[in-house]
Amino acid sequence: MVIIDAHSHLWLKQDTIVDGQPIRSLASNPSRSIFFGEERQMLPPFMIDGRNTAEVFLSNMDYAQVGGAVVVQEFIDGNQNEYLQDVQSRYPGRFFCMGMALSLQEAEDVKRKGMRGIAIPGHRLDTPLTDMMPMFRFMEREEMILSLCLHEDNHQLKEVETIIEACPDLTIVIGHFGMVTTPRWMEQIKLARHKNVYVESGGITWLFNDEFYPYPSAMQAIREAADEVGIEKLMWGSDYPRTITAITYKMSYDFVVKSNMLTEAEKAAFLGGNAQKLYGFRELPELPYIKNMSE
């Protein structure tokens, strides 16, 4: 089975300010960060230098037999365009890296850097998404992919509908599975009724963290979404590395493999087949299972 992660993160250094508050790795323990005034375990405790690099991720991917990954961006990690340009050039067969941009000029720079998508953490914006319409029209012309996370209160849904109407050929991927643990999550999923809109499940294990592995309610939500918009519109995402502070990387998709709520064909589409077609992964390695020392 081809497995592709449609929602992950990489950074060399987490040191930024969001809403006037610093978010940065702790000097005393770089696997932890100050996050909106709280100390949080941002990285798994074995990542002791604060660097969330492609090489460590590739080691996790190889171990978990994940062939490729889409790397998105978040304001809380700071702008990683320069690093992701380097990652894309060094590992073109394994990664599809998204730039960060909020204007036409910034989008043009992302395109020049060789990245074929832009990620917008819309849930952290206090301005309308439609203010970026010139950028979206540029992305549509250049056949770039827009990764978009939306606020859980769904106030941005009409804005997204306006963007879809204005840019019908712009491919949009909705993140965080529509904030699936909130009351009106299905409204975000329904955006995938439009021909060029898809949904990925990045962070679904975080959203159902209280329930924990094997996440039966997450599987129920995936089943409901597939029945609503079709399994061909849905993709698995991990939200690496933050989610693997609680579970292993393989556990972030293994609960889907072991579930009886999807057919084998649906699992193959959700876990990698859909992402392979959408993002154009063509040079995925063969990753045979390697026995653990504990086996």
Side-chain angles (χ1 to χ4, degrees), residues 81-95:
N81 284 354
E82 296 298 325
Y83 179 52
L84 294 187
Q85 176 188 21
D86 177 58
V87 170
Q88 187 70 76
S89 65
R90 287 188 292 122
Y91 306 107
R94 302 297 299 274
F95 293 114

Side-chain angles (χ1 to χ4, degrees), residues 208-209 211-216 247 250-252 254-255 258:
F208 285 101
N209 182 65
E211 184 177 87
F212 207 64
Y213 188 91
Y215 306 106
I247 57 175
K250 187 172 183 178
M251 288 169 71
S252 66
D254 189 59
F255 73 97
K258 289 184 167 60

Side-chain angles (χ1 to χ4, degrees), residues 218-273:
M219 282 307 311
Q220 180 62 41
I222 294 169
R223 179 71 267 166
E224 290 179 22
D227 292 341
E228 184 68 39
V229 299
I231 194 69
E232 69 278 3
K233 289 301 195 81
L234 308 178
M235 298 176 288
W236 166 70
S238 70
D239 212 359
Y240 174 99
R242 283 177 269 269
T243 47
I244 65 166
T245 58
I247 57 175
T248 68
Y249 185 47
K250 187 172 183 178
M251 288 169 71
S252 66
Y253 75 83
D254 189 59
F255 73 97
V256 178
V257 175
K258 289 184 167 60
S259 173
N260 62 5
M261 298 190 72
L262 298 179
T263 68
E264 292 305 305
E266 288 174 326
K267 292 175 186 178
F270 178 72
L271 290 174

Side-chain angles (χ1 to χ4, degrees), residues 145-183:
I145 296 176
L146 172 63
S147 169
L148 185 61
C149 291
L150 300 175
H151 198 281
E152 64 185 47
D153 68 6
N154 284 349
H155 75 272
Q156 296 162 315
L157 288 180
K158 289 184 179 179
E159 297 170 22
V160 178
E161 292 280 3
T162 299
I163 295 165
I164 293 168
E165 183 178 356
C167 305
D169 293 323
L170 173 63
T171 298
I172 301 174
V173 181
I174 304 298
H176 294 164
F177 219 65
M179 293 303 292
V180 61
T181 51
T182 59

Side-chain angles (χ1 to χ4, degrees), residues 14-157:
Q14 190 179 55
D15 185 3
T16 190
I17 294 176
V18 177
D19 295 334
Q21 299 191 64
I23 299 173
R24 61 174 58 99
S25 300
L26 290 175
S28 58
N29 185 346
S31 70
R32 298 178 182 178
S33 294
I34 292 297
F35 179 77
F36 294 112
E38 291 185 277
E39 183 175 328
R40 291 288 189 92
Q41 191 70 44
M42 187 66 63
L43 294 169
F46 55 80
M47 294 168 70
I48 59 174
D49 60 0
R51 290 161 53 93
N52 171 31
T53 65
E55 287 72 27
V56 173
F57 191 21
L58 283 168
S59 181
N60 273 285
M61 289 167 64
D62 290 350
Y63 173 77
Q65 298 173 282
V66 175
V70 179
V71 183
V72 301
Q73 295 202 53
E74 236 276 26
F75 293 145
I76 64 173
D77 303 324
N79 188 309
Q80 300 295 323
N81 284 354
E82 296 298 325
Y83 179 52
L84 294 187
Q85 176 188 21
D86 177 58
V87 170
Q88 187 70 76
S89 65
R90 287 188 292 122
Y91 306 107
R94 302 297 299 274
F95 293 114
F96 184 106
C97 293
M98 297 269 189
M100 180 180 286
L102 296 174
S103 69
L104 173 58
Q105 183 178 4
E106 291 174 349
E108 291 171 339
D109 185 60
V110 165
K111 179 69 176 178
R112 283 192 296 270
K113 284 180 166 62
M115 289 179 280
R116 295 167 289 156
I118 289 173
I120 299 177
H123 58 302
R124 300 196 190 277
L125 290 177
D126 55 9
T127 56
L129 293 168
T130 47
D131 286 357
M132 292 178 275
M133 197 66 78
M135 181 177 82
F136 298 141
R137 291 195 176 100
F138 168 80
M139 293 178 65
E140 181 184 35
R141 291 194 303 270
E142 296 296 325
E143 299 182 341
M144 299 177 76
I145 296 176
L146 172 63
S147 169
L148 185 61
C149 291
L150 300 175
H151 198 281
E152 64 185 47
D153 68 6
N154 284 349
H155 75 272
Q156 296 162 315
L157 288 180

